[in-house]
Amino acid sequence: MAWSGTPYVLVIIRLAAAAKRTLVEVTQGMRRVLAGWIAAAVALAVGQLVAAGVGRDSAPFYAVGSAVVDRTPSGVREWVISNFGTDDKAFLFACLAVLVAVLSALAGTVERNGRPIGSAIIAAFAIFGAVTAMSRPTSTGAFVWPSLLGGVVGVVVLRLLLGYRPVAGVIDSGDPELSRRRFFAAAGILAAASAGAYALGRKLVDRSAELAADRRTLRLPVPQSPAPPIPPDVNVRGAVPYVTDNGDFYRIDTALQVPQMTTGEWRLKIHGMVDRPRTITWNDLVSMAAVQRAVTLTCVSNEVGGDLIGNAVWTGIPIKPILDSVGVQPGANMLLSRSVDGWTAGTPISTLIDGRDAILAVAMNGQPLPTEHGYPVRQVVPGLYGYVSATKWVTDWEITSFDKATAYWTDRGWSALGPIKTGCRIDSPSSGARVGGGTQVIAGTAWAQHRGIKTVEVQIDGGAWQTANLAPEYSIDTWRQWWLPWQAGKGTHTIVARATDGTGVTQTSETADPVPDGASGYPKKVVRVDA
Ligand SMILES: Nc1nc2c(c(=O)[nH]1)N[C@H]1C(S)=C(S)[C@@H](COP(=O)(O)O)O[C@H]1N2
Ligand SMILES: [Mo]
């Protein structure tokens, strides 16, 4: 039998040919994906650039993002906030970026000369962007253009990169490929150009320099009733600082782009069930008698043990005299406040006139409000969760009633009324910590805004409740710190705490999720003591 190597050689040649074909297909596939990405980048950049002339909220990425925010069910929102906290916006942008990347990769992959399905995907996204832009509260008819023009340019770029005529021919003329060099040269130039155009578009709509100048020159009111000095012993070792720095203060809102409004532009329009409708300017506002008060804000999304709570010294103008000046009509029981970006909160009028320090705040810890915290004017109402009271960038007050009107979060499954539940948090030791044996300090904070904190108790390993030491009470509207020395023995220990408010009611042990009216249950920490 004549042995011959020929079949093996043939197999190797065939394998090599197959490998080469696969490689060509893969690189062609990669080129299609890349073409889709570049088309999307160019479309978004054109959209952002056009938005600079049309209005900041018309930019496709932000318009779509805001539409997603407004339509996110409360369960999903809570999942995002409990997993990403105040990075919720970064998470949303990441999700959107992935969505755009996947859709545009698909668009590049399926686009054919006579079968422009990829173009259709880009067009659909552009139309979706235009529709969402039109639904923004600040929209004008021109808000359709950023997305639509971006879409048109995106389609043209996609087709040119794939070697097709920009407008689809009816007859498929095959795939006349761009040379490798020309493709990558074009892709590189377009990627760089779109990054530059996007950055320029963002810069053109950014007014932070103007706002910084406004902040430097504005006249803050001198409080006729300053906050009493804060004694150092309101702070307890092991608990978070009693006064939260502006930079550390939690931020929660639906604004993907922080509203930027100068004091000169700011107006508060008061209308609805009032005898004398009125519009207040910044100068009107700061000419009124101001007060300064420490108030602890809490977010209804704050989970047991969470950090969506902060305490600041606010300077502002009491709301009651303003309501008196417009003459609230009988039957009105809700102040529906609206921010410049269309967010709303419904606050019981009773909580604004019962003597508590409900204010239109203009300063936070002695500084004009940071932009993220409502510059130039926001509401602060002690005792109510932020979603029903703490409107930032507030520009409109409608006096109405709870049976006629609903607000942003009540339309999404949250309770119409949002008094803050009594709660507490263990700050030290931290969960899962390994601590040394001997005397430890268990410390934390407790709050029951506008009722005050009477006692905090701590339970270790299911034993008897021990009364903790309390820092002096500065105000019933702020949190109060507490601590308990603990002889820590070797082993794993469970620490639980509970607070009792100024009316003698202890916080409920019943655990509840934030939806619909705030989380409840005792905070708990498990620590290991290495003797
Ligand atoms: N305009 C506007 N104001 C808003 C919100 C918002 O989404 N938009 N969120 C509210 C909520 S839910 C809370 S908890 C507080 C948080 O205020 P902060 O970000 O200054 O801590 O602002 C409130 N004011
Ligand atoms: Mo909130």
Side-chain angles (χ1 to χ4, degrees):
M1 189 177 73
W3 184 84
S4 158
T6 319
Y8 295 95
V9 172
L10 274 180
V11 166
I12 287 168
I13 289 172
R14 282 205 189 121
L15 275 179
K20 192 183 166 199
R21 272 200 310 277
T22 317
L23 198 69
V24 169
E25 272 163 29
V26 167
T27 39
Q28 274 172 350
M30 298 274 288
R31 271 170 67 162
R32 287 185 160 275
V33 168
L34 193 58
W37 286 347
I38 301 276
V42 172
L44 289 175
V46 167
Q48 187 65 52
L49 211 49
V50 176
V54 168
R56 192 167 76 136
D57 298 335
S58 66
F61 206 61
Y62 290 91
V64 171
S66 296
V68 171
V69 167
D70 288 350
R71 280 161 195 78
T72 303
S74 47
V76 176
R77 170 187 139 107
E78 286 320 294
W79 180 85
V80 173
I81 290 194
S82 76
N83 287 281
F84 297 91
T86 49
D87 292 330
D88 56 336
K89 293 180 178 70
F91 175 74
L92 171 75
F93 283 130
C95 288
L96 272 185
V98 169
L99 180 75
V100 168
V102 169
L103 280 180
S104 57
L106 185 71
T109 305
V110 300
E111 180 77 0
R112 292 293 179 275
N113 202 6
R115 196 166 49 90
I117 298 178
S119 298
I121 293 175
I122 295 180
F125 205 79
I127 291 169
F128 183 63
V131 169
T132 56
M134 285 304 293
S135 74
R136 290 290 90 211
T138 52
S139 74
T140 63
F143 268 44
V144 296
W145 292 118
S147 291
L148 293 187
L149 291 177
V152 168
V153 178
V155 165
V156 169
V157 165
L158 178 72
R159 294 189 56 85
L160 288 178
L161 280 177
L162 293 175
Y164 306 146
R165 261 174 292 139
V167 177
V170 183
I171 297 156
D172 195 329
S173 59
D175 288 5
E177 265 205 12
L178 240 61
S179 80
R180 201 185 149 84
R181 265 191 43 210
R182 286 183 63 186
F183 175 85
F184 283 104
I189 290 168
L190 286 169
S194 51
Y198 192 86
L200 176 65
R202 289 294 297 157
K203 206 178 149 62
L204 287 173
V205 295
D206 178 32
R207 301 179 62 198
S208 43
E210 212 179 322
L211 258 69
D214 193 46
R215 236 189 212 96
R216 272 195 304 277
T217 51
L218 64 74
R219 179 170 64 94
L220 279 183
V222 178
Q224 295 194 349
S225 169
I230 295 173
D233 61 353
V234 294
N235 284 290
V236 155
R237 189 165 58 90
V240 297
Y242 174 76
V243 174
T244 314
D245 281 344
N246 289 357
D248 295 337
F249 210 94
Y250 80 93
R251 171 189 169 199
I252 289 287
D253 54 61
T254 60
L256 292 184
Q257 310 190 77
V258 184
Q260 294 176 317
M261 193 184 9
T262 62
T263 51
E265 289 158 347
W266 182 81
R267 297 281 183 282
L268 178 64
K269 188 178 165 211
I270 311 175
H271 58 107
M273 298 169 71
V274 294
D275 293 333
R276 295 170 295 276
R278 161 175 195 207
T279 297
I280 294 178
T281 65
W282 170 264
N283 283 332
D284 296 338
L285 186 72
V286 295
S287 312
M288 299 179 203
V291 300
Q292 190 187 38
R293 296 287 182 265
V295 177
T296 301
L297 293 191
T298 309
C299 182
V300 69
S301 299
N302 193 36
E303 293 186 73
V304 174
D307 56 8
L308 301 179
I309 178 167
N311 184 43
V313 179
W314 310 92
T315 307
I317 285 71
I319 289 176
K320 182 171 185 297
I322 302 177
L323 289 180
D324 289 344
S325 79
V326 294
V328 174
Q329 292 172 352
N333 60 14
M334 179 208 258
L335 170 73
L336 183 67
S337 54
R338 184 181 295 270
S339 60
V340 68
D341 64 340
W343 186 85
T344 52
T347 313
I349 289 183
S350 58
T351 63
L352 304 171
I353 59 175
D354 67 0
R356 74 182 78 188
D357 291 308
I359 57 172
L360 279 174
V362 293
M364 182 177 185
N365 293 326
Q367 299 294 319
L369 292 180
T371 314
E372 310 78 51
H373 294 291
Y375 187 83
V377 183
R378 76 169 306 166
Q379 293 174 199
V380 171
V381 183
L384 302 184
Y385 285 122
Y387 82 106
V388 291
S389 69
T391 310
K392 306 190 268 189
W393 318 288
V394 60
T395 53
D396 188 282
W397 276 2
E398 182 184 344
I399 308 300
T400 178
S401 68
F402 278 89
D403 55 18
K404 282 198 214 127
T406 54
Y408 188 93
W409 285 113
T410 47
D411 289 338
R412 288 162 180 77
W414 297 82
S415 161
L417 299 179
I420 298 175
K421 294 180 180 179
T422 302
C424 61
R425 192 179 66 200
I426 304 166
D427 289 342
S428 300
S430 53
S431 233
R434 287 163 159 245
V435 299
T439 305
Q440 297 289 331
V441 62
I442 303 171
T445 177
W447 58 90
Q449 287 93 321
H450 211 56
R451 298 182 299 278
I453 287 293
K454 193 157 137 193
T455 41
V456 172
E457 296 161 286
V458 177
Q459 184 190 51
I460 298 160
D461 299 328
W465 286 99
Q466 306 175 50
T467 305
N469 304 287
L470 285 176
E473 175 169 85
Y474 176 80
S475 152
I476 59 169
D477 292 335
T478 60
W479 57 15
R480 193 167 175 189
Q481 303 193 343
W482 55 268
W483 84 101
L484 183 75
W486 170 42
Q487 288 304 318
K490 195 175 156 72
T492 300
H493 300 285
T494 303
I495 305 168
V496 177
R498 69 178 184 196
T500 298
D501 73 12
T503 69
V505 178
T506 301
Q507 72 178 92
T508 177
S509 60
E510 210 169 292
T511 60
D513 288 333
V515 189
D517 62 356
S520 67
Y522 297 164
K524 182 168 112 179
K525 294 257 159 125
V526 177
V527 294
R528 223 174 95 190
V529 178
D530 304 320

